[in-house]
Amino acid sequence: MNNRRYFVAGNWKMHGSLGQARQLAAAVAQAAPDAVDVAICPSYVHLNAAAESLQGHALALGAQDASAWPDQGAYTGQVSAEMLRELGCRYVILGHSERRGLLGESDDLVARKVERVQAAGLIPIICVGETLAQREDGQTEAVVVAQLGAVLERCGAAALGDALLAYEPVWAIGTGRTASPEQAQGVHAVLRGTVAKKDVKIADSLRILYGGSVKPDNAADLFAQADIDGGLIGGAALDADAFLAICQAAAVAV
Ligand code: PEP
């Protein structure tokens, strides 16, 4: 048993309409358990509508990315962390494997984004994870430690005192193939151990989420692991009942 409060975030990716975002946010806000920190992360253009649905509720709002560049400037298409804070965001997912893989985001770029997001007073949810080929090649630990290492090097261990980590094996995202609780726990322990080498206290309080095909029927087993402190949920976050069931699994996890 650990004393870390569980955290569940829903990554809505590029899904839904304005009306659906409003409805889904309202449905989740009304029934999310108090015992867990819960955040929803709609697309940029749905943030405002979702924020309206969250008024008066404890549910937090997050974005799926933020710019690595300064708050104002000639950066066409970019959205700054300051702008996201103004819209009511508290969290920002950074380094999601879809951005690393599809858009070529490097470890260094992700670390620069962490810096900017924290400078704006927001909390990054920093994603790391290996591909199937890397896992089969025995590279899992080296890959996630390098991804985390870039953040530690640029921002320092203290930055992780105000951040969350998410271990998301690329082969498990959106595939229906979940890491076993033991596989996930193994990587979470490596991540916590890596931070502990720099700062034991920060490592101990750091919340490390698991993401990759988490569903209501596998959430409890994952959340029961010593170093898994919640989940980053994709597909199941688009269904209010499924997402709430996962939040409930976190609420009763010890
Ligand atoms: C994600 O998008 O971060 C994710 C974990 O997706 P899914 O739950 O669908 O695997």
Side-chain angles (χ1 to χ4, degrees), residues 57-69:
H57 295 280
L59 208 73
L61 192 64
Q64 298 172 18
D65 185 44
S67 174
W69 282 275

Side-chain angles (χ1 to χ4, degrees), residues 11 13 93 96 98 127 168 172-176 210-215 232-237:
N11 174 12
K13 310 195 188 193
I93 298 170
H96 192 281
E98 286 151 16
C127 301
E168 297 210 305
I173 297 180
T175 58
Y210 169 77
S213 297
V214 178
K215 307 284 177 218
L232 178 53
I233 319 300

